[in-house]
Every structure is written in structure tokens, then in C-alpha cells.
Amino acid sequence: MNSLELYERARKVIPGGVNSPVRAYDPYPFFVWKGKGSRIYDVDGREYIDYVMGYGALFFGHAPSMLVERLKKIVEDGILYGAPTEEEVLLAEKIREFYPSIEMVRLANSGLEATMHAVRLARGYTGRRKIIKFEGCFHGSHDSLLVKAGSGALTFGVPSSSGVLEEVAKHTLISRFNDVELTEKIVKENRDDLAAIIVEPVAVNFGLVEPKIDFLKALRELADYSGAVLIFDEVVTGFRLSPGGAQQYYGVKADLTTLGKALGGGLPISAFGGREEIMKNVAPTGKVYVSGTYSGNPISTKAALAVLGYIKENPAIYSEMKWKVEKICKSIREVASDRSLKITVNYIESMFQVFFTDSEVSCYDDVKKSDIRLFKKYFHGMLKNNVFIPPSQFETCFLSTAHTDEDVELTINAIENSLSQIEDET
Ligand SMILES: Cc1ncc(COP(=O)(O)O)c(C=O)c1O
């Protein structure tokens, strides 16, 4: 059965034919046969170099042998116990080794769960209601964080999904990424009822946007000033930006940290952790209730232990990925300037994104200025040239340790071809 036939069937039984909205694009998505290394193969017989990489989870590429061989043995010892294991202790200790700010940690299964629990914990710990999030940042699809800026004043949170109650959304205040002044104003106005400031330390959900110098430090100071809990959502940056994530990279410590994606190398696992004084409020020692049948399950836990072991033993992977991303991005800039295309390229370590605008992209408003129509053409051009990137201007491309020098050369060719086609059509 080919992708079109599967899509027609899927639409009848799965809303939009996909199990997560970003996977849908016009006219229909390809359906996957399998993945190996840097490549993903569809049921129509095509092969792509993959920069979606499970939206950042596949840090080592598809089916990495160091995980696959281990997983074959792991499942034979049981899939789920509902009782604690030694590996959970080992993993908690390992996470603490990578993240000195994490004195205690709890495992969960998805990024959504980790941030939902962290926000509840911050509210339970402080006894306060309000949280600050940044426009365009995404922390998973749960009520307190599915909130966007209301029209007019940026701080007025309104639901970004139907089904989210206004009564919930109004406690989420919206600031602008990289805008210290506005954030300071909101903190000062809500100081006594502010439970948390939650931020993606590098924003990856409205394209890719780095924090400006001192933005994260300013958030640290504002949290200290107000008594709010500073939550770094490192579901994407954790272990990817550096072994100790954004906190090691930028030298700023969070009170609570959420982790996911790269931690499991593709298996569903997440974690939230931080200062013991806060974490001990989690049940059963405290009154903040958090639970999960699959939390700390042996398969994901053992896979995560293997991931962290591999990262520790292979520190060179970071510079190798960084070098490849730099090469790709520098050639995009060259191609764009040769063709006078208005393009901005943001990149950091193993992540990059191309924006169809010639102005700086440092907050959500900047991304909204880019030409979405051209991005769509670029996406389809890349597909045609056998490169799979996220189908949205508001996402980020991820390199894995499996991407080779040859992949980089092929990707540069694909970019040249697809940008030339855009130039011809405009
Ligand atoms: C920064 C960030 N936090 C949280 C999440 C939610 O993670 P999950 O999709 O595993 O629930 C995402 C998802 O992309 C994310 O990018």
C-alpha cells in the first residue's frame, strides 16, 4: 500500500490521518517504512536524509546499534514491573552528574508530563498561582501552557486551544522571548502571586532562536527577586546542546529542569528535577501528586542509561555535529546571497533553521515576519531532493551523530537545488 492509499484510510480513523498535528502537510505526508542511521525510508520506495529526527529525540539517528542490541536483551527481562529497580537509582544519579542543579529527579514518559508536573510542583511549593511563559515557546499540550498572548497587551494569557478554560489560561502570563524589560515589568506586577517562570533556554518551537546575552541570567535574577521557581524546559536542549544542556552551555542554573527527547534516544522517557527543597514536595514525601504507570519503566530507563553512558564516553560527538551544522548553514548563506534571496539562518550546535526573511530572528514576532509560502516551497523542494526537514517554519532541524560528511554534501546540493527553484519561481 502506498502513502496516498494509507493516508486515505488513515483520515477515516485518525483525525487528520496523523497522531500529532505537525506530521500533517499538504497534499499528504509520506508514510514511513523504516529508519536507519541518518536515513528514513517511505512505503513508496524513497529514501531521505532525515533532519526531523523524531523532533530532536533521535540524537543518535534511527535504530542506533548501541541501543538496538541492548533493547533486544532488555525486553526479555520484562517490560514493566510497577515496582522500583536499581536502574532507576542509577539513572537518577547519572542525571545528577550531568546536571549539578538537579539534586533530586522524577521520571515520566513525555515532555508534556514533565512540564505539567514541574508547573504543578512550582505552584504547590510556592502556594502561588501565576506562571510566566514566553510567546511561541512550546512545552507540551497541557492546559496551563497551551496559552498565547491575548490581543493588545502581551501579558494577558488566552487559551491557544479550544477546551482550555479561560480560568486556567488567565493565570499564565505571556512575555516576549529575549525581552528582559517586559519580563521584569510582568514579574514586578505579579510578584506576590508568581509561582514560576518557564522558558525554553534556546527556543526551538518558533524556528530556532538563541537567548541573547544575559537573557537567561536576567530570568535567574528575576526568579530570585520574586521567589518564583525558575523552570528551564530542556526537553530539547537537554544533553543535546552540551552534556549538561543549556545550563552548562550558558552557565545559568534553574531551580527545576525538564528533560526528555535525547535522554531516551527515541524511547519515551522524560524527567523533571531540581533543588531538593522543592522536589521533596512531590508525593509520597510531599503533597504534590504526580504518578505514572509507565514512569521509570525498565525499557526506557535502561535505554536512557545507555544514552548517558555513550555521551560520557564520546564527548567528541558534540564538536563533530557542530562542525557539520556550521558547514550546512554557511553554504545556505552563500547560496542565498548569490541568488539575492532574503534568508536568515539561525544555528547552534546540532540544530538549525532557515527563515525566509532578511531581518534578525530573535523572538516570535520576528519569525511571523518570514514568508511562510516560500518556506513551504523550500520544504517540498527539499523532499523532492530526498531531504526530510520539519514541514513548518516554526520548527527546527536536528542533526544526529549518524549524519555523515556525505550526508552534509548531499544536503548542501539539495538546498542549492531547492533555493534555485524558489529563485526561478519568484
Ligand atoms: C521544549 C519542549 N518541551 C516540551 C515538549 C513536549 O514534549 P512531548 O512531545 O514529549 O510531550 C516539546 C515537544 O516538542 C518541546 O519542544
Side-chain angles (χ1 to χ4, degrees), residues 31-109:
F31 279 62
V32 179
W33 168 41
K34 66 171 188 179
K36 184 68 194 158
S38 61
R39 308 297 173 107
I40 194 164
Y41 302 80
D42 72 15
V43 294
D44 309 309
R46 293 193 58 189
E47 175 182 339
Y48 307 86
I49 303 172
D50 186 4
Y51 290 95
V52 174
M53 279 296 156
Y55 286 92
L58 299 171
F59 193 53
F60 308 98
H62 293 276
S65 47
M66 62 94 173
L67 270 185
V68 171
E69 292 313 312
R70 222 169 282 233
L71 284 169
K72 284 182 190 161
K73 296 197 186 79
I74 290 171
V75 284
E76 285 177 0
D77 289 334
I79 292 169
L80 187 66
Y81 307 132
T85 62
E86 180 180 357
E87 283 79 12
E88 289 166 82
V89 185
L90 295 176
L91 183 57
E93 288 170 352
K94 260 269 170 309
I95 290 174
R96 199 170 62 171
E97 228 179 87
F98 280 76
Y99 271 88
S101 70
I102 299 183
E103 293 164 358
M104 297 185 99
V105 63
R106 260 293 173 85
L107 298 178
N109 307 286

Coordinates of all heavy atoms in Angstrom, one line a residue, residues 31-109:
F31 N 4.3 8.0 4.3 CA 4.2 7.1 5.4 C 5.5 6.3 5.5 O 6.1 5.9 4.5 CB 3.0 6.1 5.2 CG 1.7 6.7 5.7 CD1 1.2 7.9 5.1 CD2 1.0 6.2 6.7 CE1 0.0 8.5 5.5 CE2 -0.2 6.8 7.2 CZ -0.7 7.9 6.5
V32 N 6.0 6.1 6.7 CA 7.3 5.6 6.9 C 7.3 4.0 6.9 O 6.5 3.4 7.4 CB 7.9 6.0 8.3 CG1 9.3 5.5 8.5 CG2 7.9 7.6 8.3
W33 N 8.3 3.5 6.2 CA 8.6 2.1 6.2 C 9.5 1.8 7.3 O 9.3 1.0 8.2 CB 9.1 1.6 4.8 CG 9.7 0.3 4.8 CD1 9.1 -0.9 5.4 CD2 10.8 -0.2 4.1 NE1 9.9 -2.0 5.1 CE2 11.0 -1.6 4.3 CE3 11.8 0.5 3.3 CZ2 12.0 -2.3 3.8 CZ3 12.9 -0.3 2.8 CH2 13.0 -1.7 3.0
K34 N 10.7 2.4 7.3 CA 11.7 2.2 8.3 C 12.7 3.3 8.4 O 12.8 4.2 7.5 CB 12.4 0.9 8.1 CG 13.3 0.9 6.8 CD 14.1 -0.4 6.8 CE 15.1 -0.3 5.6 NZ 16.0 -1.5 5.5
G35 N 13.6 3.3 9.4 CA 14.6 4.3 9.5 C 15.9 3.6 9.9 O 15.9 2.6 10.6
K36 N 17.0 4.1 9.4 CA 18.3 3.5 9.8 C 19.4 4.6 9.7 O 19.5 5.2 8.6 CB 18.7 2.3 8.9 CG 20.0 1.6 9.3 CD 19.8 0.9 10.6 CE 21.2 0.5 11.2 NZ 21.2 0.2 12.6
G37 N 20.1 4.8 10.7 CA 21.1 5.9 10.7 C 20.5 7.2 10.5 O 19.6 7.7 11.1
S38 N 21.1 8.0 9.5 CA 20.6 9.3 9.2 C 19.4 9.2 8.2 O 18.9 10.3 7.8 CB 21.7 10.1 8.5 OG 22.1 9.5 7.3
R39 N 19.0 8.0 7.7 CA 18.1 7.9 6.7 C 16.7 7.4 7.1 O 16.6 6.6 8.0 CB 18.6 6.9 5.6 CG 20.0 7.2 5.1 CD 20.0 8.6 4.4 NE 21.4 8.9 4.0 CZ 21.9 8.9 2.8 NH1 21.1 8.6 1.8 NH2 23.1 9.3 2.5
I40 N 15.7 7.9 6.5 CA 14.3 7.4 6.7 C 13.7 7.0 5.3 O 14.0 7.6 4.3 CB 13.4 8.5 7.4 CG1 12.2 7.9 8.0 CG2 13.1 9.7 6.5 CD1 11.5 8.8 9.0
Y41 N 13.0 5.9 5.3 CA 12.5 5.3 4.1 C 11.0 5.3 4.1 O 10.4 4.9 5.1 CB 13.1 3.9 3.9 CG 14.6 3.8 4.0 CD1 15.3 3.8 5.2 CD2 15.3 3.6 2.8 CE1 16.7 3.7 5.2 CE2 16.7 3.5 2.8 CZ 17.4 3.6 4.0 OH 18.7 3.5 4.1
D42 N 10.4 5.7 3.0 CA 8.9 5.6 3.0 C 8.4 4.4 2.2 O 9.2 3.6 1.6 CB 8.4 6.9 2.4 CG 8.5 7.2 1.0 OD1 8.9 6.2 0.2 OD2 8.3 8.3 0.5
V43 N 7.1 4.2 2.4 CA 6.5 3.0 1.8 C 6.4 3.1 0.3 O 6.0 2.1 -0.4 CB 5.1 2.7 2.4 CG1 5.2 2.4 3.9 CG2 4.2 3.9 2.2
D44 N 6.7 4.3 -0.3 CA 6.7 4.5 -1.7 C 8.0 4.1 -2.4 O 8.2 4.4 -3.6 CB 6.3 5.9 -2.1 CG 5.0 6.3 -1.3 OD1 4.0 5.6 -1.4 OD2 5.0 7.4 -0.7
G45 N 9.0 3.7 -1.6 CA 10.3 3.3 -2.1 C 11.3 4.4 -2.2 O 12.3 4.3 -2.8
R46 N 11.0 5.5 -1.5 CA 12.0 6.6 -1.5 C 12.8 6.7 -0.2 O 12.4 6.2 0.9 CB 11.3 8.0 -1.7 CG 10.6 8.0 -3.1 CD 10.2 9.4 -3.4 NE 11.3 10.4 -3.3 CZ 11.1 11.7 -3.4 NH1 9.9 12.2 -3.6 NH2 12.2 12.5 -3.3
E47 N 14.0 7.3 -0.3 CA 14.9 7.4 0.8 C 15.3 8.8 1.1 O 15.5 9.6 0.1 CB 16.2 6.6 0.5 CG 17.3 6.7 1.5 CD 18.6 5.9 1.0 OE1 18.4 5.0 0.2 OE2 19.6 6.2 1.5
Y48 N 15.2 9.3 2.3 CA 15.5 10.7 2.6 C 16.6 10.8 3.7 O 16.7 10.0 4.6 CB 14.3 11.4 3.2 CG 13.0 11.3 2.4 CD1 12.2 10.2 2.5 CD2 12.7 12.3 1.4 CE1 11.0 10.1 1.7 CE2 11.5 12.2 0.7 CZ 10.7 11.1 0.8 OH 9.6 11.0 0.1
I49 N 17.4 11.8 3.6 CA 18.3 12.2 4.7 C 17.4 12.9 5.7 O 16.7 13.9 5.3 CB 19.4 13.1 4.3 CG1 20.3 12.4 3.2 CG2 20.3 13.5 5.5 CD1 21.3 13.4 2.6
D50 N 17.3 12.5 6.9 CA 16.3 13.0 7.9 C 16.9 14.0 8.8 O 17.9 13.8 9.5 CB 15.9 11.7 8.7 CG 14.7 12.1 9.6 OD1 14.2 13.2 9.6 OD2 14.3 11.2 10.4
Y51 N 16.3 15.2 8.8 CA 16.6 16.3 9.8 C 15.5 16.5 10.8 O 15.5 17.5 11.5 CB 17.1 17.6 9.1 CG 18.4 17.4 8.4 CD1 18.5 17.1 7.0 CD2 19.6 17.5 9.1 CE1 19.7 16.9 6.4 CE2 20.8 17.3 8.5 CZ 20.8 17.0 7.1 OH 22.1 16.8 6.5
V52 N 14.4 15.7 10.7 CA 13.3 15.8 11.7 C 13.8 15.0 12.9 O 13.7 15.5 14.0 CB 12.0 15.2 11.1 CG1 10.9 15.2 12.2 CG2 11.5 16.0 9.9
M53 N 14.4 13.9 12.7 CA 15.0 13.1 13.7 C 14.1 13.0 15.0 O 14.5 13.3 16.1 CB 16.4 13.6 14.1 CG 17.4 13.1 13.1 SD 17.6 11.3 13.2 CE 18.2 11.0 11.6
G54 N 12.8 12.6 14.7 CA 11.9 12.4 15.8 C 11.7 13.7 16.6 O 11.6 13.6 17.8
Y55 N 11.8 14.8 15.9 CA 11.7 16.1 16.5 C 12.7 16.3 17.7 O 12.4 16.8 18.7 CB 10.3 16.5 16.9 CG 9.5 16.8 15.7 CD1 8.8 15.8 15.0 CD2 9.5 18.1 15.1 CE1 8.1 16.1 13.8 CE2 8.8 18.3 13.9 CZ 8.2 17.4 13.3 OH 7.5 17.6 12.1
G56 N 13.9 15.8 17.4 CA 15.0 16.0 18.3 C 15.4 14.8 19.2 O 16.4 14.8 19.8
A57 N 14.5 13.8 19.2 CA 14.7 12.7 20.1 C 15.8 11.8 19.7 O 16.5 11.2 20.5 CB 13.4 11.9 20.3
L58 N 15.9 11.6 18.3 CA 16.9 10.6 17.8 C 18.3 11.2 17.7 O 18.8 11.4 16.6 CB 16.4 10.2 16.4 CG 15.0 9.5 16.4 CD1 14.5 9.3 15.0 CD2 15.0 8.2 17.2
F59 N 18.8 11.4 18.9 CA 20.2 12.1 19.0 C 21.2 11.2 18.3 O 22.2 11.7 17.8 CB 20.5 12.3 20.4 CG 21.7 13.1 20.7 CD1 21.7 14.4 20.2 CD2 22.7 12.7 21.6 CE1 22.8 15.3 20.5 CE2 23.8 13.6 21.9 CZ 23.8 14.8 21.3
F60 N 21.0 9.9 18.2 CA 22.0 9.0 17.6 C 21.5 8.5 16.3 O 22.0 7.5 15.8 CB 22.3 7.9 18.6 CG 22.7 8.3 19.9 CD1 21.8 8.4 21.0 CD2 24.0 8.8 20.2 CE1 22.1 8.8 22.2 CE2 24.4 9.3 21.4 CZ 23.4 9.3 22.4
G61 N 20.5 9.1 15.7 CA 19.9 8.6 14.5 C 18.9 7.5 14.7 O 18.5 7.1 15.8
H62 N 18.5 6.9 13.5 CA 17.5 5.8 13.6 C 18.2 4.5 14.0 O 19.2 4.2 13.4 CB 16.8 5.6 12.2 CG 15.9 6.8 11.9 ND1 14.6 7.0 12.3 CD2 16.2 7.9 11.1 CE1 14.1 8.1 11.8 NE2 15.0 8.7 11.1
A63 N 17.5 3.7 14.8 CA 18.0 2.4 15.2 C 19.5 2.3 15.4 O 20.1 1.5 14.8 CB 17.5 1.4 14.1
P64 N 20.0 3.1 16.3 CA 21.5 3.1 16.6 C 21.8 1.7 17.2 O 21.1 1.3 18.1 CB 21.7 4.2 17.5 CG 20.4 4.5 18.2 CD 19.3 4.1 17.3
S65 N 22.9 1.1 16.7 CA 23.2 -0.3 17.2 C 23.5 -0.3 18.7 O 23.1 -1.3 19.3 CB 24.4 -0.8 16.4 OG 25.4 0.1 16.4
M66 N 24.0 0.7 19.3 CA 24.3 0.7 20.7 C 23.0 0.6 21.5 O 23.0 0.1 22.7 CB 25.2 1.9 21.1 CG 24.6 3.2 20.9 SD 23.8 3.8 22.4 CE 23.4 5.5 21.9
L67 N 21.9 1.0 21.0 CA 20.6 0.9 21.7 C 19.9 -0.4 21.3 O 19.4 -1.1 22.1 CB 19.7 2.1 21.4 CG 19.8 3.3 22.3 CD1 18.7 4.3 21.9 CD2 19.6 2.9 23.8
V68 N 19.9 -0.6 20.0 CA 19.1 -1.8 19.4 C 19.6 -3.1 20.0 O 18.7 -3.9 20.5 CB 19.2 -1.8 17.9 CG1 18.5 -3.1 17.4 CG2 18.5 -0.6 17.3
E69 N 20.9 -3.3 20.1 CA 21.4 -4.6 20.6 C 21.0 -4.7 22.1 O 20.6 -5.8 22.5 CB 22.9 -4.6 20.5 CG 23.4 -4.7 19.0 CD 22.6 -5.8 18.2 OE1 22.5 -6.9 18.7 OE2 22.1 -5.5 17.1
R70 N 21.1 -3.7 22.8 CA 20.8 -3.7 24.2 C 19.3 -4.0 24.4 O 18.9 -4.7 25.3 CB 21.1 -2.3 24.8 CG 21.8 -2.4 26.2 CD 22.3 -1.1 26.6 NE 23.5 -0.8 25.8 CZ 24.7 -0.4 26.4 NH1 24.7 -0.3 27.7 NH2 25.7 -0.2 25.8
L71 N 18.4 -3.3 23.6 CA 17.0 -3.4 23.8 C 16.5 -4.8 23.5 O 15.6 -5.3 24.2 CB 16.3 -2.5 22.8 CG 16.3 -1.0 23.2 CD1 15.8 -0.1 22.0 CD2 15.5 -0.8 24.4
K72 N 17.2 -5.5 22.6 CA 16.8 -6.9 22.3 C 16.9 -7.7 23.6 O 16.1 -8.6 23.9 CB 17.7 -7.5 21.2 CG 17.3 -7.0 19.9 CD 18.2 -7.7 18.8 CE 18.1 -7.0 17.5 NZ 19.2 -7.3 16.6
K73 N 18.0 -7.5 24.4 CA 18.2 -8.3 25.6 C 17.2 -7.8 26.7 O 16.7 -8.5 27.5 CB 19.6 -8.1 26.1 CG 20.6 -8.7 25.1 CD 22.0 -9.0 25.8 CE 23.0 -9.5 24.8 NZ 23.6 -8.4 24.0
I74 N 17.1 -6.4 26.8 CA 16.3 -5.8 27.9 C 14.9 -6.4 27.9 O 14.4 -6.7 29.0 CB 16.3 -4.3 27.7 CG1 17.7 -3.7 28.0 CG2 15.3 -3.6 28.6 CD1 17.8 -2.2 27.6
V75 N 14.2 -6.5 26.8 CA 12.8 -6.9 26.8 C 12.6 -8.3 27.3 O 11.6 -8.6 27.9 CB 12.1 -6.8 25.4 CG1 11.8 -5.4 25.0 CG2 12.9 -7.4 24.3
E76 N 13.6 -9.1 27.2 CA 13.5 -10.5 27.7 C 13.4 -10.5 29.2 O 12.9 -11.5 29.8 CB 14.7 -11.3 27.2 CG 14.6 -11.6 25.8 CD 15.8 -12.4 25.2 OE1 16.7 -12.7 26.0 OE2 15.7 -12.7 24.0
D77 N 13.8 -9.5 29.9 CA 13.8 -9.5 31.4 C 12.5 -8.9 31.9 O 12.3 -8.6 33.1 CB 15.0 -8.7 32.0 CG 16.2 -9.5 31.8 OD1 16.2 -10.8 31.7 OD2 17.3 -8.9 31.7
G78 N 11.6 -8.5 31.0 CA 10.3 -7.9 31.5 C 10.1 -6.5 30.9 O 11.1 -5.8 30.8
I79 N 8.9 -6.2 30.7 CA 8.6 -4.9 30.0 C 8.2 -3.8 31.0 O 8.4 -2.7 30.9 CB 7.5 -5.1 28.9 CG1 8.2 -5.9 27.8 CG2 7.0 -3.8 28.4 CD1 7.2 -6.4 26.8
L80 N 7.5 -4.3 32.1 CA 7.0 -3.3 33.1 C 6.9 -4.1 34.4 O 6.5 -5.2 34.5 CB 5.7 -2.8 32.6 CG 5.0 -1.7 33.4 CD1 5.8 -0.4 33.3 CD2 3.6 -1.4 32.9
Y81 N 7.3 -3.4 35.5 CA 7.2 -4.1 36.8 C 6.2 -3.4 37.8 O 5.6 -4.1 38.6 CB 8.5 -4.1 37.5 CG 9.7 -4.7 36.7 CD1 10.9 -4.0 36.5 CD2 9.5 -5.9 36.0 CE1 11.9 -4.5 35.8 CE2 10.5 -6.4 35.2 CZ 11.7 -5.7 35.1 OH 12.7 -6.2 34.4
G82 N 6.1 -2.1 37.8 CA 5.2 -1.5 38.8 C 5.9 -1.5 40.2 O 5.2 -1.4 41.2
A83 N 7.2 -1.6 40.2 CA 8.0 -1.6 41.5 C 9.3 -1.1 41.1 O 9.8 -1.2 39.9 CB 8.1 -3.1 42.0
P84 N 10.0 -0.5 42.1 CA 11.3 0.2 41.7 C 12.4 -0.8 41.3 O 12.4 -1.9 41.7 CB 11.7 0.9 43.0 CG 10.9 0.3 44.1 CD 9.7 -0.3 43.5
T85 N 13.4 -0.2 40.6 CA 14.5 -1.0 40.1 C 15.8 -0.3 40.4 O 15.8 0.9 40.6 CB 14.5 -1.3 38.6 OG1 14.6 0.0 37.9 CG2 13.2 -2.0 38.1
E86 N 16.9 -1.0 40.4 CA 18.2 -0.4 40.6 C 18.6 0.6 39.5 O 19.2 1.6 39.8 CB 19.3 -1.6 40.6 CG 20.7 -1.0 40.8 CD 21.8 -2.1 40.8 OE1 21.5 -3.3 40.7 OE2 23.0 -1.7 40.9
E87 N 18.1 0.3 38.3 CA 18.4 1.2 37.2 C 17.8 2.6 37.4 O 18.4 3.5 36.9 CB 18.0 0.6 35.8 CG 18.8 -0.5 35.3 CD 18.6 -1.9 36.0 OE1 17.6 -2.0 36.7 OE2 19.4 -2.8 35.8
E88 N 16.7 2.6 38.0 CA 16.1 4.0 38.2 C 17.0 4.8 39.2 O 17.1 6.0 39.0 CB 14.7 3.8 38.9 CG 13.6 3.3 37.9 CD 12.4 2.9 38.6 OE1 11.5 3.7 38.9 OE2 12.2 1.7 38.9
V89 N 17.6 4.1 40.1 CA 18.5 4.8 41.0 C 19.7 5.3 40.3 O 20.2 6.4 40.4 CB 18.9 3.9 42.2 CG1 19.8 4.7 43.2 CG2 17.7 3.3 42.9
L90 N 20.3 4.3 39.5 CA 21.5 4.6 38.7 C 21.2 5.8 37.7 O 22.0 6.7 37.6 CB 21.9 3.4 37.9 CG 22.4 2.2 38.7 CD1 22.7 1.0 37.8 CD2 23.6 2.6 39.5
L91 N 20.0 5.8 37.1 CA 19.7 6.9 36.2 C 19.6 8.2 36.9 O 20.1 9.2 36.4 CB 18.4 6.5 35.3 CG 18.1 7.6 34.3 CD1 19.2 7.8 33.3 CD2 16.8 7.1 33.5
A92 N 18.9 8.2 38.0 CA 18.8 9.5 38.8 C 20.1 10.0 39.1 O 20.4 11.2 39.0 CB 17.9 9.2 40.0
E93 N 21.0 9.1 39.6 CA 22.4 9.5 39.9 C 23.1 10.1 38.7 O 23.9 11.1 38.8 CB 23.2 8.4 40.6 CG 22.6 8.0 42.0 CD 23.2 6.7 42.5 OE1 23.9 6.0 41.8 OE2 22.9 6.4 43.7
K94 N 23.0 9.4 37.6 CA 23.6 9.9 36.4 C 23.1 11.2 35.9 O 23.9 12.1 35.5 CB 23.3 8.9 35.2 CG 24.4 7.8 35.0 CD 25.4 8.4 33.9 CE 26.6 7.6 33.7 NZ 27.4 7.2 34.8
I95 N 21.8 11.4 36.0 CA 21.3 12.7 35.6 C 21.8 13.8 36.5 O 22.2 14.9 36.0 CB 19.7 12.7 35.6 CG1 19.1 11.8 34.5 CG2 19.1 14.1 35.5 CD1 17.6 11.6 34.6
R96 N 22.0 13.5 37.7 CA 22.5 14.5 38.7 C 24.0 14.8 38.3 O 24.4 15.9 38.5 CB 22.4 14.0 40.1 CG 22.5 15.0 41.2 CD 22.2 14.5 42.5 NE 23.1 13.5 42.9 CZ 23.1 13.0 44.2 NH1 22.3 13.4 45.1 NH2 23.9 12.0 44.5
E97 N 24.7 13.8 37.9 CA 26.1 14.0 37.5 C 26.2 15.0 36.3 O 27.0 15.9 36.2 CB 26.6 12.7 37.0 CG 28.0 12.3 37.5 CD 28.3 10.9 36.9 OE1 28.9 10.9 35.8 OE2 28.0 9.9 37.5
F98 N 25.3 14.8 35.3 CA 25.3 15.7 34.1 C 24.7 17.1 34.5 O 25.1 18.1 33.9 CB 24.4 15.1 33.0 CG 25.1 14.0 32.2 CD1 25.2 12.8 32.7 CD2 25.6 14.3 31.0 CE1 25.8 11.8 32.0 CE2 26.2 13.3 30.2 CZ 26.3 12.0 30.8
Y99 N 23.8 17.2 35.4 CA 23.1 18.4 35.8 C 23.3 18.7 37.2 O 22.4 18.3 38.1 CB 21.6 18.3 35.5 CG 21.2 18.7 34.1 CD1 21.2 17.8 33.0 CD2 20.8 20.0 33.8 CE1 20.9 18.1 31.7 CE2 20.5 20.4 32.5 CZ 20.5 19.4 31.5 OH 20.1 19.8 30.2
P100 N 24.3 19.5 37.6 CA 24.5 19.7 39.1 C 23.3 20.4 39.7 O 23.1 20.3 40.9 CB 25.7 20.6 39.1 CG 26.4 20.4 37.8 CD 25.4 20.0 36.8
S101 N 22.5 21.1 39.0 CA 21.3 21.8 39.6 C 20.2 20.8 40.0 O 19.3 21.2 40.7 CB 20.7 22.9 38.6 OG 20.1 22.2 37.5
I102 N 20.3 19.6 39.5 CA 19.3 18.6 39.8 C 19.7 17.7 41.0 O 20.5 16.8 40.8 CB 19.0 17.7 38.5 CG1 18.5 18.6 37.4 CG2 18.0 16.6 38.8 CD1 18.1 17.9 36.1
E103 N 19.2 18.0 42.1 CA 19.6 17.3 43.3 C 18.7 16.0 43.4 O 19.1 15.0 43.9 CB 19.5 18.1 44.6 CG 20.5 19.2 44.6 CD 20.2 20.4 45.6 OE1 19.2 20.3 46.3 OE2 21.1 21.3 45.6
M104 N 17.4 16.2 43.0 CA 16.5 15.0 43.0 C 15.7 15.1 41.7 O 15.5 16.1 41.2 CB 15.5 15.1 44.2 CG 16.2 15.0 45.5 SD 14.9 15.0 46.8 CE 14.9 13.2 47.2
V105 N 15.3 13.9 41.3 CA 14.7 13.8 40.0 C 13.6 12.8 40.0 O 13.7 11.8 40.7 CB 15.7 13.6 38.8 CG1 16.4 12.3 39.0 CG2 15.1 13.7 37.5
R106 N 12.5 13.0 39.2 CA 11.5 12.0 39.0 C 11.4 11.7 37.5 O 11.5 12.6 36.7 CB 10.1 12.6 39.4 CG 9.6 12.2 40.8 CD 9.3 10.7 40.8 NE 8.9 10.3 42.1 CZ 7.7 10.4 42.7 NH1 6.7 11.0 42.0 NH2 7.5 10.0 43.9
L107 N 11.2 10.5 37.1 CA 11.0 10.1 35.7 C 9.5 10.2 35.3 O 8.6 9.9 36.1 CB 11.6 8.7 35.5 CG 13.0 8.5 35.8 CD1 13.4 7.0 35.5 CD2 13.9 9.4 34.9
A108 N 9.3 10.5 34.1 CA 8.0 10.4 33.5 C 8.2 9.9 32.0 O 9.2 9.3 31.7 CB 7.3 11.8 33.5
N109 N 7.2 10.1 31.2 CA 7.2 9.5 29.9 C 7.3 10.4 28.7 O 7.8 10.0 27.6 CB 6.0 8.6 29.7 CG 5.9 7.6 30.9 OD1 6.6 6.7 31.0 ND2 5.0 7.9 31.8

